[in-house]
Amino acid sequence: MRPRGLTTIALGSALVGGAAVLAVAWAAGWLNGERRTVVVQEHAPAVEVSAARGRPLLGSGFDPAHIYAARSAGVVTIFSVFGSSSSASQGSGFVVSGDGVILTNSHVVTDAGTGDGSVRPADRVYVEFRDRDRVAATIVGWDVFDDVGVIRVDPTAHALRPLPLGDSSRVVVGDPVAAIGSPFGNENSLAVGVVSATQRSIESLTSRYNLVDAIQVDAPINHGNSGGPLFDAQGRVIGINAQIRSDSGTAEGVGFAVPINAARRSMGELLATGKVTYAYVGVTTEDLTPGIARRFGYPVRYGAVIASVRPGSPGATAGLRGGSDERDFNGASFTLGGDVLVALDGRPVRSAAGVVRLVSTRLRPGQRAMFTIFRDGRKRDVPVVLAERPEDPDAGR
């Protein structure tokens, strides 16, 4: 399922009281004789995947100099070496754990998006800190669908300054942001701007599925910034800088970041199991808008019209129907005849991107989900047993 996307280019590697305290202490194992890695996040419950111990910066204003002074020590430059090459591709990353966990993009530490679909990790990875000291790192895992990579360094090899993770669901257009990374190899460079848009559905650099909920920023982001942190005004990481939009193949000032909430999910699964799984339906959808609804007589004004259903997919097995009649409406093509999806497990669906978002973030492989559709003017519920998303949706066709 991927609505029409944007033309993109890579940046990175080639481009509150005592109860809460007790809960964190128990999760960390301080009260039961066992130690575990815990993340304490602003506006979110503690989760057992990493240990970010930083706190929001004081003050209500946006102070880029303060953010840089307080956070740049937690930002690193990553060098990835493939094969016997003496040269390394370069990207950025940031420390999220006192035990050495570092977040970056998958395309910084693998060749995802550059080959025939199979993904090969770098043979050697090195992390360089602000003081130019460089240490070896190991690859924990990667998620090509959300372009997230996790690596780890020995915490005794260098002093670590974990960065606090924010809540990307609270980001709004106009929020000031700061990006720190290594554009063109210039380590620990600061760029500032504002959030230009949220919940962008954009073409992925590393898979054939769209990356949903991307944060669009106007902060200058260039080759080498990939994998670096995007900060809010309080110095909390709200995204991983990942791509730029370009029709010319050059930077044009429109950058995109993977939302930290999505990256947090990927990181948790990678640390726990070494892989990330996504639910899969096997349909493509198109936006139903009020104008289209009026023109073609749909009973609802918003939703996602199923344009096609892949043979043998969960959607096909459940009996979902795609369209077959392509029409032109106000200069854009639209596919008539398919089911209109209006809710997924009781959650409203208002667009094609909303379908991808709900399936990717709310549902799991093997789950039985209820798809509420309109077909021939009548509303009905269709149960769908979801599969695991394949890396190549066309495999076996």
Side-chain angles (χ1 to χ4, degrees):
M1 303 171 297
R2 60 185 302 170
R4 295 180 177 88
L6 301 172
T7 301
T8 53
I9 63 173
L11 293 177
S13 61
L15 245 223
V16 175
V21 173
L22 287 174
V24 172
W26 179 265
W30 299 337
L31 300 183
N32 61 6
E34 180 184 358
R35 293 187 64 85
R36 294 194 293 270
T37 303
V38 174
V39 146
V40 179
Q41 300 171 71
E42 295 303 315
H43 309 302
V47 293
E48 284 188 68
V49 292
S50 69
R53 303 187 185 280
R55 296 185 178 185
L57 302 179
L58 299 177
S60 57
F62 180 58
D63 186 346
H66 190 195
I67 293 173
Y68 183 83
R71 302 304 191 217
S72 61
V75 183
V76 300
T77 303
I78 298 174
F79 298 91
S80 299
V81 181
F82 294 85
S84 59
S85 173
S86 59
S87 61
S89 59
Q90 174 258 312
S92 303
F94 54 99
V95 180
V96 296
S97 159
D99 59 0
V101 175
I102 292 173
L103 266 178
T104 184
N105 287 135
S106 65
H107 72 262
V108 171
V109 294
T110 74
D111 65 353
T114 64
D116 58 1
S118 61
V119 179
R120 182 168 66 95
D123 294 284
R124 299 182 301 284
V125 177
Y126 303 99
V127 169
E128 186 172 286
F129 294 89
R130 184 176 59 175
D131 61 4
R132 308 304 295 271
D133 192 21
R134 190 179 293 196
V135 301
T138 58
I139 299 176
V140 175
W142 59 87
D143 173 9
V144 295
F145 299 124
D146 266 347
D147 198 5
V148 175
V150 177
I151 63 176
R152 191 190 292 271
V153 297
D154 181 349
T156 66
H158 192 281
L160 301 177
R161 292 284 296 275
L163 302 182
L165 306 185
D167 182 356
S168 52
S169 70
R170 297 181 175 229
V171 175
V172 298
V173 174
D175 279 350
V177 290
I180 301 178
S182 302
F184 303 111
N186 297 296
E187 296 86 354
N188 281 89
S189 296
L190 172 70
V192 298
V194 298
V195 173
S196 304
T198 61
Q199 293 191 336
R200 288 295 199 202
S201 179
I202 63 175
E203 289 184 0
S204 171
L205 300 176
T206 53
S207 82
R208 297 185 58 186
Y209 300 84
N210 274 19
L211 190 155
V212 297
D213 284 346
I215 302 170
Q216 180 183 329
V217 298
D218 72 345
I221 297 174
N222 295 288
H223 176 87
N225 274 111
S226 276
L230 183 71
F231 295 99
D232 64 11
Q234 280 69 53
R236 298 170 297 205
V237 179
I238 56 171
I240 304 177
N241 300 313
Q243 358 176 330
I244 57 173
R245 179 187 188 276
S246 175
D247 292 325
S248 65
T250 59
E252 296 176 344
V254 182
F256 295 96
V258 177
I260 199 62
N261 289 7
R264 181 188 298 118
R265 171 187 181 267
S266 298
M267 177 176 63
E269 292 196 27
L270 289 171
L271 289 170
T273 67
K275 65 176 294 187
V276 183
T277 59
Y278 290 82
Y280 176 70
V281 183
V283 301
T284 62
T285 58
E286 298 176 357
D287 292 338
L288 176 64
T289 64
I292 292 174
R294 287 191 298 269
R295 171 65 179 81
F296 297 110
Y298 283 97
V300 289
R301 299 175 64 200
Y302 292 96
V305 177
I306 298 178
S308 65
V309 181
R310 293 186 182 277
S313 68
T317 301
L320 294 177
R321 295 182 183 176
S324 58
D325 186 6
E326 188 167 323
R327 301 287 188 91
D328 179 86
F329 178 74
N330 289 342
S333 62
F334 181 78
T335 306
L336 291 174
D339 295 332
V340 182
L341 180 58
V342 295
L344 209 169
D345 255 8
R347 298 182 177 91
V349 169
R350 293 175 61 86
S351 66
V355 179
V356 182
R357 184 175 299 114
L358 288 172
V359 172
S360 300
T361 63
R362 298 284 187 174
L363 303 178
R364 306 294 297 167
Q367 181 178 345
R368 181 178 181 271
M370 195 63 67
F371 283 55
T372 302
I373 63 170
F374 276 89
R375 179 185 295 169
D376 300 327
R378 298 181 60 185
K379 188 177 182 180
R380 63 181 69 188
D381 289 327
V382 178
V384 179
V385 178
L386 303 169
E388 181 176 337
R389 178 190 286 182
E391 290 194 10
D392 182 359
D394 292 325
R397 295 188 67 189

